[in-house]
């Protein structure tokens, strides 16, 4: 047990947890508004980053890794040391050293209302100049990567899940000891460099935590409010211990996780948390049994963690034996998210054996808060699907929800999740032009399918080679030093997780624009082949002209009016099914040249806009550059009634089925639950989707009027939270284009 | 069971994820044709049996494609290049609709076999199972296409689905009697207890409606849900609703006297004006255009009256 003595304030009335939570929310809102003012639009999940104080920050214009101009914030007075002629830094020694230097000068952040200290202020990646070390050349892949406009994942960081249990067991000193021990086992120079890097990360963390403890103690001395002074003294004592020791109490465990998650986020953007209810359960059990922790206090500590770490969490779901792990603590975590009403990323497992009450409570929260939280995880299908890759069910059940649409085995699996995308609309376009340029064949839908298959296979082969290339070199480019600490193998083998350090390599390959390609196939079949209303050459001319002119518009409407994927039993539904089957078969038909598995999924993340810009006009009547369909979803407006069951059946029908997801993006009217039994109907919808094979549901219950109003004037509802896709975010944080995407969905679904 | 794949009828919509027409998640099949002509009808496209063209000029791009195919000259492009549609010349053949890609022209009502309808209904079977839902026949009045309705219902029952029907009750008992063996829940409208006022509002007297209600209550043991569309001037006075509630209570008592148990309930639904666009596109006069929908407060008051009657039941 903790050696802490809880001090009772001498006089006055202690603030309630609710009051402290309100203050935390207010603080977060102020910080977010400051970020809007300084950084502008943020089209990603709400990172808990706090801006450095004005005198300690530099604001710079730069180009993001994906080529978009962005505003970035750096710490004044910190420059990374380069170890490469191009001025950048690469490899474990330089990464470890620079990260440690950054941590050692990182300002301390303490909110006296919180039970936990710490907050990060910059992204380490801002100090990198290039995504990849030019010494490792992959120009032989460029032609195909560009032709298909692939998102290759080469140089992409994190997007797999560590196991916090390792850290909770060892603490920072334990991690140092472990590194020191394996230094004596793996003695080659490369191993020593890797250990240097890891050691620097831990030393940097110890500095940051230790300075925070000192600062809390100092602030306690001058704090006039006796409650805050007592809280600051506790924070000081807890963090003093955590510099070296593993956490002993529930609160300490939350604090330890907050430090680690902050470091992981700062280092390279990792936002994976995994099974928080399982991780915290032993502390919760012990302390509630001893009467030293109330549920209200537990909720408060969790909320203090979530407000500063908006990371991805799984609640419930099977243990290795298949037994559901839902506990009262799972409900408390959900409750913490409910009380905060900030963008949080909590997923609730729904399956044959999961807790019905948790689903129900999740839906209540969903309809009450309208923040798109929680999301729902079709755990039976992802478990069975993952096993199909040749893994035992016991292993498969350990895979945890840890990112936008993805799962990973905590500490054991490297995945490239959500970084690798094939845009089917682009592949379709390449195939169509290829066919029409070949005067030796009679164009037909059958021929188009043959060409599509050829190009899709080539695109996947290109990705496969890219995976191998990345896995061979990432260690020497941008190693995963923070996540390595909490994985099984990297320290033991002296290998970075990206490059052989862990046991399992399952390279995620996501398809996108399934609906656009399927609808395009169907439109060609219906209007060109069956009805002869149009020739292939005319189609091509209209595509090249982006449907210009009155005749172009008429033809566009004609192509668009062919029943869409999702309408049910249509040609487009058949083509969608065929496309999903083909994609799955091609991804699974072989491994990468180096022997790594690939796993198919369907998800475009928030890139429906960006990937749409990559694609010219498509025969489904889509204009050049317009957004593609979201993930596995049909195009908005796919049916006049927008029936959620039609959507759910369509998305369930195109699941690749190997454990990676093809989420359904579903927007429901808040009025649905006004009638008696409304919530049960939504539960039925969710269960029905999973019964048909669905893997994940991003549910959004949006107040249409409010969202439309907020779109006109975002400042009107600064705290409006919406689910964008796999993540939720402040509506006002999004760029106008992203806000429009959310609004379009609402309008299309009437 | 006996099924006849050639039985067909006219429907105007199949709505999936229907959640206000019975328990659970349902698919509602709307049959065309009704014997009442309620002036406020929320589904005016359901009144006439034969298919109709809905025309929305706002969507028209004056492309002229419809003109070329109509052999009856219902479409024309005028001197200014604007499209015009003369409904009186239209025979509802649907040819022009096939050419109109803007959906300015839409065919409301199509003939389908029971088999086709049920195939569509079965698409959502998984959701009926997870929510306790099923299929609802609505309209129009499905009892006016009895053979078609019986076939759809029988096929759904054979598939193990929960079935419900929404009906206005204005027909000979035989129309409904043939359907009952395949129905789990009957939802029936009662609009007004006074025969004269009923006729004024709906074009027909309520005698047969009430007879159907009576026989449903006494001769069957199907769960019965009576529904009242609360329409200003038609039935929104306290006394109107009280009279209906009292009648439903009598029916409920009569059912019990007859030794039957299945519940009889009464539900009030507020009139709304969402159908106004439909009237326009069908070329119909919308006589409820100036009616104010009852307020939430008024609905609460009326529901309290219902609760009073049924509580003392
Ligand atoms: S086909 Fe449709 S859009 Fe074209 S003129 Fe006729 S009604 Fe208008
Ligand atoms: S439905 Fe037939 S008759 Fe009526 S306007 Fe169209 S083409 Fe002419």
């Amino acid at each position: 047990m903790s050696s802490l003595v809880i001090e009772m304030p001498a006089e006055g009335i202690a603030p309630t947890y609710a009051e402290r939570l309100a203050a935390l929310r207010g603080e977060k809102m102020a910080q977010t508004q400051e970020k809007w003012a300084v950084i502008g639009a943020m089209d990603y999940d709400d990172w808990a980053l706090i801006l450095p104080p004005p005198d300690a920050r530099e604001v710079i214009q730069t180009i993001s890794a994906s080529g978009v101009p962005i505003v970035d914030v750096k710490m004044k007075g910190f420059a990374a040391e380069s170890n490469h002629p191009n001025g950048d830094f690469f490899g474990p020694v330089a990464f470890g050293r620079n990260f440690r230097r950054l941590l050692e000068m990182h300002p301390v952040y303490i909110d006296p209302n919180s039970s936990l200290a710490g907050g990060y202020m910059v992204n380490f990646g801002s100090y990198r100049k290039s995504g990849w070390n030019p010494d490792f050349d992959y120009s032989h892949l460029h032609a195909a990567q560009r032709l298909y406009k692939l998102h290759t994942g080469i140089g992409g960081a994190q997007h797999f899940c560590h196991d916090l249990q390792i850290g909770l067991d060892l603490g920072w000193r334990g991690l140092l000891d472990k590194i020191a021990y394996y230094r004596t086992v793996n003695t080659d120079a490369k191993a020593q460099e890797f250990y240097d890097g890891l050691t620097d990360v831990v030393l940097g963390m110890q500095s940051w935590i230790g300075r925070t403890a000192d600062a809390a103690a100092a602030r306690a001395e001058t704090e006039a409010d006796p409650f805050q002074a007592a809280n600051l003294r506790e924070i000081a004592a807890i963090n003093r211990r955590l510099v070296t020791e593993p956490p002993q109490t529930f609160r300490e465990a939350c604090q330890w996780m907050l430090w680690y998650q902050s470091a992981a986020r700062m280092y390279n953007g990792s936002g994976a948390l995994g099974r928080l209810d399982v991780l915290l359960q032993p502390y919760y059990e012990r302390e509630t049994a001893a009467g030293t922790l109330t549920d209200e206090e537990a909720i408060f500590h969790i909320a203090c963690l979530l407000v500063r770490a908006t990371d991805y969490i799984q609640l419930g779901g099977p243990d290795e034996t298949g037994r559901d792990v839902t506990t009262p603590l799972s409900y408390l975590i959900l409750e913490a998210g409910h009380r905060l009403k900030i963008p949080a990323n909590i997923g609730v497992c729904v399956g044959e054996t999961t807790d019905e009450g948790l689903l129900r409570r999740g839906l209540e929260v969903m309809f009450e808060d309208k923040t798109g939280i929680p999301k729902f995880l079709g755990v039976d299908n992802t478990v069975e699907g993952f096993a199909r890759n040749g893994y035992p069910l016991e292993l498969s059940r350990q895979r945890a929800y840890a990112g936008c649409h993805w799962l990973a085995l905590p500490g054991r699996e490297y995945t490239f999740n959500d970084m690798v995308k094939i845009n089917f609309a682009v592949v379709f376009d390449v195939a169509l032009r290829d066919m029409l340029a070949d005067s030796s064949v009679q164009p037909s839908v059958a021929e188009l399918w043959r060409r599509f298959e050829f190009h899709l296979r080539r695109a996947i082969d290109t990705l496969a080679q890219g995976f191998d290339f990345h896995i061979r070199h990432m260690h020497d480019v941008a190693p995963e030093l923070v996540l390595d600490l909490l994985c099984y193998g990297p320290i033991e083998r002296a290998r970075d997780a990206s490059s052989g350090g862990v046991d399992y390599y399952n390279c995620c390959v996501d398809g996108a624009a399934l609906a656009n390609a399927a609808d395009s196939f169907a439109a060609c079949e219906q209007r060109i082949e069956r009805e002869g209303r149009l020739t292939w050459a005319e189609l091509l001319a209209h595509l090249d002209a982006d449907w210009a002119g009155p005749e172009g518009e008429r033809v566009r409407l004609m192509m668009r009016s062919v029943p869409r994927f999702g309408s049910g039993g249509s040609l487009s539904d058949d083509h969608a099914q065929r496309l999903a089957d083909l994609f799955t078969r091609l991804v699974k038909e072989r491994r990468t040249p180096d022997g790594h598995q690939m796993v198919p999924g369907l998800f475009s993340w928030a890139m429906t806009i960006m990937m749409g810009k990559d694609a010219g006009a498509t025969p489904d009547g889509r204009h050049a550059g317009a957004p593609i369909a979201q993930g596995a979803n049909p195009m908005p407006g796919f049916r006049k009634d927008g029936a959620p069951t039609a959507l759910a059946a369509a998305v369930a029908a195109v699941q690749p089925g190997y454990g990676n997801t093809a989420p359904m993006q579903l927007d429901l009217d808040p009025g649905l639950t006004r009638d008696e039994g409304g919530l049960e109907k939504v539960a039925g919808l969710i269960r029905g989707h999973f019964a048909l094979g669905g893997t994940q549901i991003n549910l959004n219950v949006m107040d249409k009027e409010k969202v439309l109003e907020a779109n006109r004037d975002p400042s009107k509802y600064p705290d409006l939270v919406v689910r964008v896709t796999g993540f939720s975010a402040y509506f006002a944080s999004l760029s106008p284009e992203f806000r429009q995407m959310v609004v379009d969905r609402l309008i299309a679904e009437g | 069971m006996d099924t006849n794949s050639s039985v067909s009828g006219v429907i105007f919509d199949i709505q999936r994820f229907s959640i206000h027409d019975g328990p659970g998640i349902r698919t509602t099949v709307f049959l065309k044709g009704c014997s009442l002509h309620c002036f406020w009808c929320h589904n005016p496209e359901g009144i006439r049996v034969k298919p109709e063209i809905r025309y929305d000029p706002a969507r028209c791009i004056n492309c002229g494609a419809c003109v070329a195919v109509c052999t009856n000259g219902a479409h024309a492009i005028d001197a200014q290049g604007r499209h015009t549609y003369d409904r009186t010349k239209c025979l509802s053949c649907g040819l022009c609709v096939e050419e109109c890609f803007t959906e300015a022209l839409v065919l409301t009502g199509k003939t389908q076999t029971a088999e086709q309808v049920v195939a569509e209904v079965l698409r959502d079977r998984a959701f009926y199972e997870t929510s306790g839902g099923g299929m609802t026949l609505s309209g129009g009045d499905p009892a006016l296409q009895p053979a078609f309705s019986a076939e759809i219902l029988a096929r759904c029952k054979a598939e193990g689905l929960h079935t419900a029907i929404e009906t206005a009750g204005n027909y000979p008992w035989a129309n409904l009697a043939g359907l009952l063996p395949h129905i789990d829940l009957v939802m029936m409208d009662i609009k007004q207890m006074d025969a004269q006022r009923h006729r004024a509002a709906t074009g027909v007297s309520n005698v047969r409606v009430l007879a159907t209600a009576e026989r449903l209550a006494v001769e069957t043991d199907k769960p019965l849900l009576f529904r009242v569309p609360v329409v200003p001037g038609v039935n929104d006075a306290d006394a109107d609703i009280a009279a209906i509630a009292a009648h439903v209570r009598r029916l409920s008592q009569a059912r019990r006297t007859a030794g039957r148990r299945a519940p009889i309930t009464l539900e009030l639904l507020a009139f709304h004006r969402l159908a106004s666009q439909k009237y326009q596109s069908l070329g119909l006069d919308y006589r409820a255009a100036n009616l104010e929908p009852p307020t939430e407060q008024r609905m609460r008051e009326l529901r309290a009256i219902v609760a009073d009657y049924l509580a003392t039941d």
Side-chain angles (χ1 to χ4, degrees):
Chain A
M1 289 301 297
S2 164
S3 56
L4 274 179
V5 178
I6 308 292
E7 294 180 58
M8 297 306 291
E11 57 191 74
I13 300 163
T16 63
Y17 287 128
E19 287 163 349
R20 290 171 71 183
L21 216 55
L24 283 174
R25 284 192 65 197
E27 182 71 17
K28 170 149 177 113
M29 200 62 248
Q31 289 162 352
T32 305
Q33 277 170 324
E34 194 188 359
K35 280 196 277 183
W36 293 338
V38 174
I39 301 178
M42 293 169 277
D43 288 334
Y44 38 77
D45 38 344
D46 174 65
W47 293 20
L49 179 134
I50 306 161
L51 291 177
D55 55 337
R57 74 189 178 215
E58 287 179 293
V59 179
I60 47 166
Q61 310 282 332
T62 180
I63 303 290
S64 80
S66 39
V68 187
I70 51 163
V71 175
D72 203 2
V73 176
K74 287 189 180 184
M75 207 77 83
K76 219 181 238 172
F78 178 81
E81 292 173 0
S82 165
N83 65 348
H84 193 276
N86 78 352
D88 207 349
F89 61 95
F90 299 105
V93 173
F95 265 69
R97 184 169 161 70
N98 279 322
F99 192 53
R100 174 177 170 183
R101 291 176 53 240
L102 179 62
L103 290 175
E104 284 175 346
M105 62 94 65
H106 194 288
V108 158
Y109 176 80
I110 301 165
D111 182 336
N113 283 305
S114 175
S115 63
L116 311 176
Y120 77 101
M121 301 184 176
V122 285
N123 294 308
F124 183 51
S126 300
Y127 298 95
R128 296 178 62 197
K129 295 188 165 54
S130 46
W132 191 252
N133 183 338
D135 298 349
F136 307 112
D137 176 61
Y138 60 99
S139 54
H140 60 292
L141 298 176
H142 284 172
Q145 289 171 342
R146 284 176 195 150
L147 176 64
Y148 302 118
K149 303 203 168 79
L150 298 171
H151 293 241
T152 66
I154 294 175
Q158 48 99 8
H159 291 93
F160 62 104
C161 185
H162 51 283
D163 189 350
L164 277 161
Q165 193 60 53
I166 297 175
L168 296 174
D169 288 344
L170 295 180
W172 297 106
R173 191 174 60 201
L175 286 167
L176 272 185
D177 292 347
K178 182 174 171 185
I179 297 165
Y181 170 76
Y182 281 100
R183 251 188 209 284
T184 66
V185 176
N186 302 301
T187 53
D188 61 288
K190 247 192 115 117
Q192 297 300 312
E193 288 181 0
F194 182 54
Y195 292 130
D196 289 347
L198 294 175
T199 305
D200 273 338
V201 170
V202 179
L203 294 177
M205 288 306 295
Q206 290 183 312
S207 154
W208 193 16
I209 300 167
R211 284 183 295 113
T212 303
D214 294 345
R219 268 181 78 169
E221 294 306 311
T222 58
E223 176 59 63
D225 180 317
F227 305 102
Q228 297 207 339
N231 184 41
L232 287 166
R233 276 192 291 276
E234 283 177 53
I235 288 175
I238 286 171
N239 284 290
R240 173 79 43 238
R241 273 176 37 71
L242 291 185
V243 171
T244 51
E245 303 310 306
Q248 296 296 315
T249 66
F250 190 88
R251 179 174 176 181
E252 285 182 6
C254 291
Q255 175 71 79
W256 201 95
M257 289 188 200
L258 178 54
W259 283 121
Y260 180 85
Q261 297 299 116
S262 300
R265 184 69 99 170
M266 173 157 52
Y267 183 77
N268 64 6
S270 170
L273 232 167
R275 309 184 83 160
L276 188 59
D277 50 359
V278 175
L279 290 162
L280 283 175
Q281 179 64 15
Y283 307 91
Y284 175 74
E285 222 169 81
R286 200 159 58 222
E287 287 163 50
T288 46
T292 53
L293 180 73
T294 64
D295 281 357
E296 282 301 307
E297 190 183 352
I299 292 169
F300 181 69
H301 294 320
I302 296 163
C304 290
L305 170 63
L306 297 187
V307 82
R308 297 263 65 95
T310 56
D311 301 336
Y312 290 79
I313 295 168
Q314 168 174 333
L315 297 182
D319 67 7
E320 273 171 66
T321 67
R323 202 184 55 88
D324 181 53
V325 301
T326 305
T327 58
L329 180 58
S330 313
Y331 286 80
L332 300 189
I333 295 170
L334 189 56
E335 183 63 24
H338 171 49
R339 293 193 190 172
L340 277 173
K341 294 180 189 43
I342 61 164
N345 291 293
I346 298 173
V348 166
C349 287
V350 181
E352 198 72 30
T353 60
T354 58
D355 183 310
E356 189 65 38
L358 196 61
L359 165 61
R360 195 178 159 96
R361 181 65 195 139
L363 283 172
E364 285 168 3
V365 169
M366 167 76 61
F367 276 86
E368 187 182 332
D369 295 356
K370 303 183 191 68
T371 54
I373 301 164
K375 59 187 279 168
F376 300 95
L377 313 172
V379 66
D380 295 344
N381 295 322
T382 49
V383 166
E384 275 166 36
F386 189 64
R388 236 168 255 142
N389 295 291
Y391 298 119
L393 276 175
E394 291 70 24
L395 187 75
S396 196
R397 292 189 186 110
Q398 294 174 40
R399 243 183 161 217
Y401 174 66
C404 227
H405 80 312
W406 54 268
L407 309 95
L409 294 166
R412 299 183 192 280
E413 188 189 13
Y414 188 76
T415 53
F416 291 92
N417 278 325
D418 209 5
M419 295 195 290
V420 179
K421 310 284 174 201
I422 297 183
N423 188 338
F424 294 141
V426 172
V427 177
F428 182 95
D429 191 61
V430 171
L432 179 69
R433 286 166 193 282
D434 181 23
M435 174 178 81
L436 297 180
D438 183 348
S439 56
S440 71
V441 297
Q442 185 68 33
S444 68
V445 170
E447 179 62 24
L448 186 55
W449 264 111
R450 270 192 290 282
R451 306 262 169 164
F452 184 83
E453 174 166 348
F454 170 84
H455 289 287
L456 186 56
R457 181 180 278 116
R458 240 185 102 208
I460 293 167
D461 283 348
T462 307
L463 290 175
Q465 292 176 59
F467 289 135
D468 288 351
F469 177 80
H470 172 104
I471 291 171
R472 272 185 244 142
H473 299 296
M474 187 65 172
H475 178 98
D476 294 315
V477 178
E480 295 286 352
L481 296 179
V482 177
L483 296 185
D484 280 337
L485 291 169
L486 302 196
C487 284
Y488 302 92
I491 297 177
E492 291 85 339
R493 298 172 203 168
R495 288 300 294 175
D496 187 56
S498 69
S499 301
V502 293
D503 286 347
Y504 303 101
Y505 287 77
N506 293 304
C507 312
C508 165
V509 181
D510 282 336
L514 174 103
N516 304 99
D519 293 350
S520 292
F521 272 116
C524 292
E525 181 172 347
Q526 182 72 31
R527 301 303 191 202
I528 299 176
E529 282 196 354
R530 295 195 176 183
E531 299 173 356
R533 290 174 185 268
L534 191 72
T535 66
W536 290 98
E538 285 164 354
L539 170 67
L540 188 62
H542 285 303
L543 295 179
D544 285 340
D546 194 19
W547 316 104
E551 178 58 11
E553 178 61 5
R554 198 189 72 86
V555 174
R556 189 181 79 81
L557 292 171
M558 175 176 89
M559 299 301 273
R560 208 185 61 165
S561 65
V562 171
R564 299 289 179 112
F565 163 54
S567 53
S570 69
L571 266 184
S572 297
D573 285 293
D574 294 346
H575 283 289
Q577 184 82 65
R578 181 168 171 187
L579 176 44
D581 291 348
L582 173 70
F583 172 62
T584 303
R585 176 164 62 77
L586 295 183
V587 172
K588 290 312 298 178
E589 76 184 358
R590 66 186 100 162
R591 293 179 172 229
T592 71
D594 283 353
H596 301 302
Q597 293 236 34
M598 294 186 285
V599 185
L602 295 170
F603 191 55
S604 46
W605 187 67
M607 288 191 288
T608 56
I609 291 175
M610 205 203 296
M611 292 175 98
K613 287 186 177 152
D614 278 349
T618 36
D620 58 341
R622 188 187 134 276
H623 276 293
I628 55 167
Q630 282 213 7
N633 265 48
M635 279 304 274
F638 68 101
R639 258 178 82 97
K640 259 195 225 67
D641 61 5
T645 49
L647 174 68
V651 174
V654 295
Q655 296 290 324
Y658 281 84
N660 281 7
T661 67
M664 165 167 68
Q665 178 80 36
L666 174 66
D667 299 296
L668 292 178
D669 187 276
L672 244 170
T673 53
R674 226 171 287 144
D675 291 1
E676 208 185 310
L679 220 54
E680 284 71 18
K681 289 176 189 176
V682 180
L685 181 64
I686 290 172
R687 286 207 172 273
H689 179 61
F690 292 148
L692 291 172
T695 43
Q696 227 171 68
I697 299 176
N698 296 324
L699 182 58
N700 221 354
V701 175
M702 288 193 284
D703 211 319
K704 194 164 165 181
E705 293 314 314
K706 192 169 174 182
V707 172
L708 293 179
E709 180 82 43
N711 195 35
R712 283 189 287 274
D713 179 7
S715 64
K716 212 160 177 179
Y717 296 103
D719 56 357
L720 174 64
V721 175
V722 295
R723 176 162 287 285
V724 181
T725 139
F727 65 84
S728 54
Y730 287 114
F731 189 72
S733 285
L734 302 171
S735 65
E737 275 178 315
F738 266 66
R739 292 204 298 264
Q740 194 58 44
M741 178 173 83
V742 174
V743 167
D744 284 349
R745 245 165 38 206
L746 267 179
I747 292 170
E749 282 157 28
Chain B
M1 62 167 292
D2 258 359
T3 56
N4 184 346
S5 60
S6 67
V7 179
S8 63
V10 184
I11 63 169
F12 65 90
D13 203 4
I14 297 184
Q15 201 175 70
R16 292 165 71 178
F17 198 68
S18 195
I19 51 168
H20 301 293
D21 298 312
I25 295 172
R26 312 188 72 80
T27 294
T28 301
V29 180
F30 293 88
L31 276 69
K32 228 163 142 19
C34 187
S35 56
L36 271 57
H37 290 83
C38 310
F39 68 86
W40 67 86
C41 180
H42 291 161
N43 292 325
E45 72 273 48
I47 296 175
R48 286 176 285 201
V49 187
K50 106 184 157 78
E52 290 164 272
I53 299 293
R54 281 173 62 181
Y55 173 56
D56 178 3
R59 286 176 162 265
C60 175
I61 57 170
N62 306 305
C63 70
C66 51
V67 182
V69 294
C70 181
T71 50
N72 299 304
H75 297 286
I77 298 285
D78 68 13
Q80 284 79 45
R82 279 191 316 254
H83 165 260
T84 59
Y85 171 50
D86 181 354
R87 189 178 289 280
T88 59
K89 295 184 181 162
C90 173
L91 300 178
S92 297
C93 72
L95 275 179
C96 58
V97 173
E98 299 283 303
E99 302 302 315
C100 182
F101 303 119
T102 63
E103 293 174 5
L105 298 169
V106 175
L107 186 66
T108 280
K110 57 180 171 184
T111 302
Q112 285 213 316
T113 64
E115 193 175 15
Q116 286 171 316
V117 169
V118 174
E120 183 70 16
V121 168
L122 287 176
R123 286 190 197 287
D124 281 346
R125 181 202 283 272
F127 305 98
Y128 311 145
E129 283 167 9
T130 53
S131 71
M135 194 273 312
T136 299
L137 282 187
S138 182
D141 192 331
L144 299 185
Q145 298 187 51
F148 183 47
S149 290
E151 185 65 21
I152 296 172
L153 288 163
R155 283 171 179 263
C156 287
K157 268 318 336 152
E159 293 286 349
L161 305 191
H162 178 277
T163 56
I165 185 171
E166 282 185 302
T167 179
N170 183 46
Y171 38 69
W173 174 247
N175 279 47
L176 188 58
L179 309 182
L180 286 171
H182 318 296
I183 296 178
D184 296 313
L185 165 69
V186 178
M187 291 175 276
M188 190 182 145
D189 276 11
I190 295 184
K191 279 137 189 158
Q192 173 54 256
M193 289 308 293
D194 180 88
Q196 285 311 315
R197 291 180 63 197
H198 193 274
R199 184 187 294 279
T202 70
V204 300
S205 140
N206 62 6
V207 173
R208 276 208 301 203
V209 174
L210 295 178
T212 303
E214 181 86 27
R215 293 189 69 166
L216 274 170
V218 181
E219 295 177 25
T220 82
D221 204 14
K222 302 285 175 192
L224 272 175
L225 170 59
F226 289 107
R227 291 175 141 185
V228 184
V230 177
V231 183
V234 173
N235 57 15
D236 68 334
D238 288 4
D240 298 324
I241 296 300
I244 294 173
H247 187 70
V248 169
R249 184 171 65 181
R250 274 194 300 278
L251 292 175
S252 193
Q253 284 159 348
R255 171 169 280 193
R256 248 166 297 150
T257 309
R260 305 190 195 279
R261 293 271 154 269
I264 295 182
T265 39
L266 175 59
E267 185 180 62
L268 304 186
L269 305 169
F271 155 80
H272 59 72
R273 282 190 304 220
L274 300 177
S276 99
Q277 157 67 18
K278 291 195 221 172
Y279 279 84
Q280 266 177 32
S281 68
L282 288 163
L284 297 175
D285 185 23
Y286 186 38
R287 286 190 288 137
N290 296 320
L291 278 192
E292 276 306 314
T295 61
E296 298 239 349
Q297 169 60 23
R298 181 64 188 142
M299 290 302 290
R300 268 195 299 276
E301 290 164 11
L302 294 176
R303 287 194 180 107
I305 294 175
V306 170
D308 273 355
Y309 273 90
L310 298 188
T312 55
D313 179 17

